[in-house]
Amino acid sequence: QSAIGLDVPFRAPVMIKTLYENADGAYFNPEETTPNSGLLSLGVAVPLGQGLITDKSRTELRQAEAFVTYSKLQRAAITQELLHDAYKQYWLWWMSRSLLDLSNDWVGIAANRLEITKQRFALGDVASIDTLETFIQLQQRMQKAYSAGTKLNKEQQELRAYLWSITESGEYALLENEVRPQREISFDGASDNVPVLTSKTMDIANRNPELMSYAPVFDRLRAEERWKREAMKPIVNVQYNALTEPTAGASDLISSNNYKWGAQLAWPILMRKAKGELELTRIKIRETELEAEVKIAGTRNKALGLIQNLTLLRSQLATVQSNVRNMEILLDAERDKFNSGESSVFLINVREQQLFDLRMQEVEVSFQLKITELELLYLLGELN
């Protein structure tokens, strides 16, 4: 006696069942023997209770599909984070380079004034104390240039982790020292449109890849909840199998000799395990809902705060740039007065220091504005 079968499940609550049986022998009951070629049956099995809405295999399939979506969103979130870190490091490099260039320019101006002051002292046009004051000013500016150079080296080394390529020899070509960032900073024109940014922020749950990842997580948990709820139903399965060797005669078409059928009924009395597992799943769903609500609200509030900061920083940058232009006018006037003998080295140094501080502030505010813009685009999932 031998038997072999194959069950083929479907997404629908139906299973195709095939079975081949061969039973023959001298001591077999004739009623239990099969034809010489064996007996092949083909039928279906349908659950009428537990498993009709969903079952374990269909639940696992839905969870697997949700996990694929989750993986894609997580990959997008990681890409956004990588771009955010790389862009931020680039602009840190830009700021340190800009501050160093500004410091070097000011060192050159101080060194040139020191030579001129020495010449005028030799001619008796200025006092010796003016040469000392100019020399001290040069040393102070050189010290700032040294600090800016140290900062630039640090930022450039960290930027090399993002800017590299493979040469023909297979070696990594890192960022070279002579490579410089762009001189002028540029801003995204879309960041000026506050109403559009605010609208995007209110819909941030459907834009930020990390927040969008909660949707497939909920899909997996709800699929599990449906299955746990389904498991509380009684098991009622019916099965029908048609035989390949029916009895002859039209009157025997509906004879029980031409098919096999069966039914299964089971139902735990207390269902403590099913109730406990269902409740645990519902608790997990609620915890995830609360986590998602807090995360979405926090991210949205942070984005709204960044939009307000963008407006304030633009106003601050415009004010600083206006002050720079006005201070340049004052410095030029002070230099004219100095050349005509109506001013002093001290006043020239004061004006220059004021202009230097304003230009440093212009670079720093520009950097803060760019980083704020970058942070907002990162939260909105729009970095590319």
Side-chain angles (χ1 to χ4, degrees):
Q1 181 181 10
S2 62
I4 184 172
L6 177 64
D7 296 343
V8 183
F10 289 88
R11 293 287 297 261
V14 175
M15 179 178 293
I16 301 298
K17 303 178 72 69
T18 62
L19 179 65
Y20 174 78
E21 298 177 279
N22 192 348
D24 193 9
Y27 299 101
F28 254 85
N29 187 334
E31 295 181 355
E32 297 179 358
T33 59
T34 62
N36 295 333
S37 59
L39 184 64
L40 179 65
S41 62
L42 177 64
V44 294
V46 180
L48 300 180
Q50 183 182 128
L52 178 63
I53 305 300
T54 186
D55 54 33
K56 186 175 182 181
S57 61
R58 280 182 281 166
T59 298
E60 291 175 348
L61 179 59
R62 292 191 183 97
Q63 289 180 327
E65 293 171 344
F67 184 77
V68 171
T69 303
Y70 177 82
S71 300
K72 292 179 179 178
L73 291 172
Q74 284 296 299
R75 183 168 55 191
I78 293 173
T79 301
Q80 288 287 304
E81 184 177 2
L82 179 60
L83 290 173
H84 167 267
D85 294 344
Y87 288 153
K88 183 176 182 179
Q89 188 58 46
Y90 173 85
W91 291 114
L92 282 168
W93 179 49
W94 174 87
M95 182 180 68
S96 59
R97 169 56 73 177
S98 299
L99 294 179
L100 177 60
D101 291 344
L102 185 59
S103 299
N104 288 334
D105 291 343
W106 244 236
V107 168
I109 293 174
N112 185 56
R113 175 164 293 108
L114 177 60
E115 293 301 321
I116 295 175
T117 304
K118 287 180 180 179
Q119 294 174 6
R120 297 185 64 178
F121 169 70
L123 297 174
D125 192 23
V126 296
S128 60
I129 195 66
D130 289 339
T131 61
L132 177 60
E133 182 177 346
T134 307
F135 178 69
I136 293 174
Q137 187 71 21
L138 174 61
Q139 287 185 316
Q140 290 176 341
R141 294 181 182 181
M142 290 177 64
Q143 182 61 38
K144 289 184 178 181
Y146 294 149
S147 299
T150 302
K151 178 68 173 175
L152 175 62
N153 289 334
K154 174 181 176 296
E155 302 300 345
Q156 186 164 302
Q157 290 294 332
E158 293 187 4
L159 184 62
R160 286 177 175 172
Y162 302 99
L163 298 180
W164 54 269
S165 61
I166 301 178
T167 63
E168 294 180 357
S169 61
E171 298 176 354
Y172 294 107
L174 300 178
L175 182 67
E176 302 296 340
N177 292 327
E178 62 269 16
V179 177
R180 300 171 66 89
Q182 63 191 74
R183 187 170 183 83
E184 299 295 333
I185 195 169
S186 59
F187 301 99
D188 190 343
S191 64
D192 293 335
N193 197 330
V194 174
V196 172
L197 291 177
T198 303
S199 176
K200 290 181 178 180
T201 299
M202 301 310 296
D203 191 40
I204 200 169
N206 297 319
R207 293 179 173 274
N208 186 300
E210 185 176 356
L211 300 181
M212 292 171 64
S213 298
Y214 280 106
V217 171
F218 283 126
D219 289 342
R220 294 176 63 190
L221 290 174
R222 290 188 180 112
E224 181 180 349
E225 181 193 19
R226 284 194 297 270
W227 167 234
K228 299 299 183 184
R229 191 167 58 245
E230 188 75 4
M232 297 183 65
K233 297 179 180 180
I235 298 175
V236 181
N237 297 331
V238 295
Q239 179 177 330
Y240 171 85
N241 293 281
L243 303 178
T244 59
E245 295 289 340
T247 59
S251 60
D252 292 333
L253 291 178
I254 60 174
S255 171
S256 60
N257 295 330
N258 297 336
Y259 61 85
K260 295 192 302 182
W261 66 275
Q264 178 188 11
L265 174 63
W267 193 10
I269 298 177
L270 300 178
M271 295 188 296
R272 292 171 178 170
K273 181 180 179 180
K275 290 180 180 179
E277 291 180 349
L278 176 60
E279 189 63 28
L280 285 176
T281 302
R282 287 175 174 172
I283 290 174
K284 285 194 294 184
I285 292 176
R286 184 53 183 161
E287 288 178 346
T288 307
E289 288 175 344
L290 294 174
E291 179 185 339
E293 290 173 2
V294 172
K295 184 72 173 179
I296 292 172
T299 306
R300 182 183 294 118
N301 291 336
K302 185 177 180 180
L304 292 174
L306 290 173
I307 294 174
Q308 294 178 349
N309 289 343
L310 281 175
T311 303
L312 295 175
L313 286 171
R314 286 193 200 94
S315 299
Q316 184 180 357
L317 181 59
T319 301
V320 171
Q321 291 173 339
S322 176
N323 289 337
V324 168
R325 292 190 294 269
N326 294 332
M327 187 56 64
E328 287 175 343
I329 295 173
L330 287 177
L331 179 58
D332 291 339
E334 199 66 45
R335 285 171 177 169
D336 292 339
K337 291 171 62 178
F338 178 76
N339 293 332
S340 62
E342 297 179 3
S343 185
S344 64
V345 173
F346 173 76
L347 291 177
I348 291 291
N349 289 337
V350 169
R351 296 297 187 194
E352 285 185 346
Q353 184 61 43
Q354 290 174 337
L355 179 58
F356 176 75
D357 292 339
L358 284 173
R359 286 186 172 172
M360 296 273 284
Q361 187 177 0
E362 181 183 9
V363 171
E364 292 171 354
V365 174
S366 297
F367 169 76
Q368 292 175 6
L369 179 56
K370 190 63 183 180
I371 292 302
T372 303
E373 178 185 277
L374 174 65
E375 294 289 342
L376 180 58
L377 293 176
Y378 170 64
L379 292 182
L380 295 177
E382 296 184 355
L383 290 180
N384 50 50

